[in-house]
Amino acid sequence: MSVEVRLEGSLVARAGARRANVPVPEDATVEDVVSALAEKYGPHVRPAILEGHRLRTDTVAIRESRSPGERLTSDSNVRHGDRLRFEMRAY
């Protein structure tokens, strides 16, 4: 299945991309989406968004498709056609 990803703020510089469509398995999680981004854009993407297997403390993942504004964790499941936005958390 395919998931659309949008990166915002300094994540664009960290990851080297602003938008992407990535293929992931049917049972994919947000972590799988980040891994697919890393395969497409390089290994520097994963640590830009994740710390180990969790989202970085300064990073938020938001599902913009079916449930606009739904915050996700790294182990949240994604669905075909989802649009995910990753952004830096404002402190």
Side-chain angles (χ1 to χ4, degrees), residues 42-84:
H44 61 283
V45 173
R46 188 175 174 86
I49 300 172
L50 298 175
E51 290 176 325
H53 296 284
R54 297 178 167 261
L55 290 171
R56 289 172 51 113
T57 56
D58 62 356
T59 303
V60 178
I62 300 167
R63 185 187 329 261
E64 293 187 320
S65 41
R66 294 170 180 87
S67 304
E70 179 186 0
R71 287 182 64 164
L72 305 174
T73 64
S74 61
D75 60 351
S76 296
N77 285 53
V78 295
R79 302 177 209 119
H80 178 70
D82 267 352
R83 286 186 316 271
L84 303 183

Side-chain angles (χ1 to χ4, degrees), residues 22-25 27-37 46 50 74 78:
V22 293
V24 291
D27 59 347
T29 63
V30 170
E31 183 180 2
D32 295 323
V33 171
V34 175
S35 293
L37 282 171
R46 188 175 174 86
L50 298 175
S74 61
V78 295

